[in-house]
Amino acid sequence: MSARIYQRPKSAMQSGRARTDQWVLEFEQSEARRADPLMGWTGSGDTQAQVQLSFPSKEEAKAYAEKYGISARVHATPPRSLKLQAYADNFK
């Protein structure tokens, strides 16, 4: 069983930074998805792929994974880059 640990990114529909300080442990899929012949929906028998656990820090997420024998990869958070621009720059 493998998982990945990452910091929750800010949604494109989100103006604030709510819940971006949380770290998420998410299990990777162990079997491929397949289309249901009747309805056409995609799914699989892997229920672990539906589980997302939230932690307040990266260390707590790593400690949880070690405690339960989960091999986890930590994905680094990309640095935020702000484009500072004056309103007058729109009219140059």
Side-chain angles (χ1 to χ4, degrees), residues 80-90 92:
R80 289 189 337 147
S81 61
L82 297 174
K83 182 179 177 184
L84 299 176
Q85 187 175 2
Y87 178 70
D89 292 343
N90 294 332
K92 284 186 177 180

Side-chain angles (χ1 to χ4, degrees), residues 29-34 43-46:
Q29 289 190 348
S30 60
E31 67 179 56
R33 293 181 175 261
R34 60 188 179 281
S44 70
D46 182 23

Side-chain angles (χ1 to χ4, degrees), residues 3-7 23-25 58 61-62 65 72-75:
R4 63 186 186 121
I5 298 172
Y6 62 94
Q7 194 168 17
W23 287 82
V24 177
L25 184 139
K58 175 174 60 172
K62 286 168 55 175
R73 294 187 331 262
V74 178
H75 292 271

Side-chain angles (χ1 to χ4, degrees), residues 34-78:
R34 60 188 179 281
D36 181 38
L38 180 63
M39 298 297 290
W41 297 339
T42 58
S44 70
D46 182 23
T47 57
Q48 288 288 353
Q50 300 172 6
V51 177
Q52 280 189 347
L53 302 173
S54 298
F55 296 93
S57 69
K58 175 174 60 172
E59 289 76 25
E60 289 185 29
K62 286 168 55 175
Y64 179 87
E66 289 175 11
K67 179 180 177 181
Y68 290 102
I70 301 167
S71 61
R73 294 187 331 262
V74 178
H75 292 271
T77 307

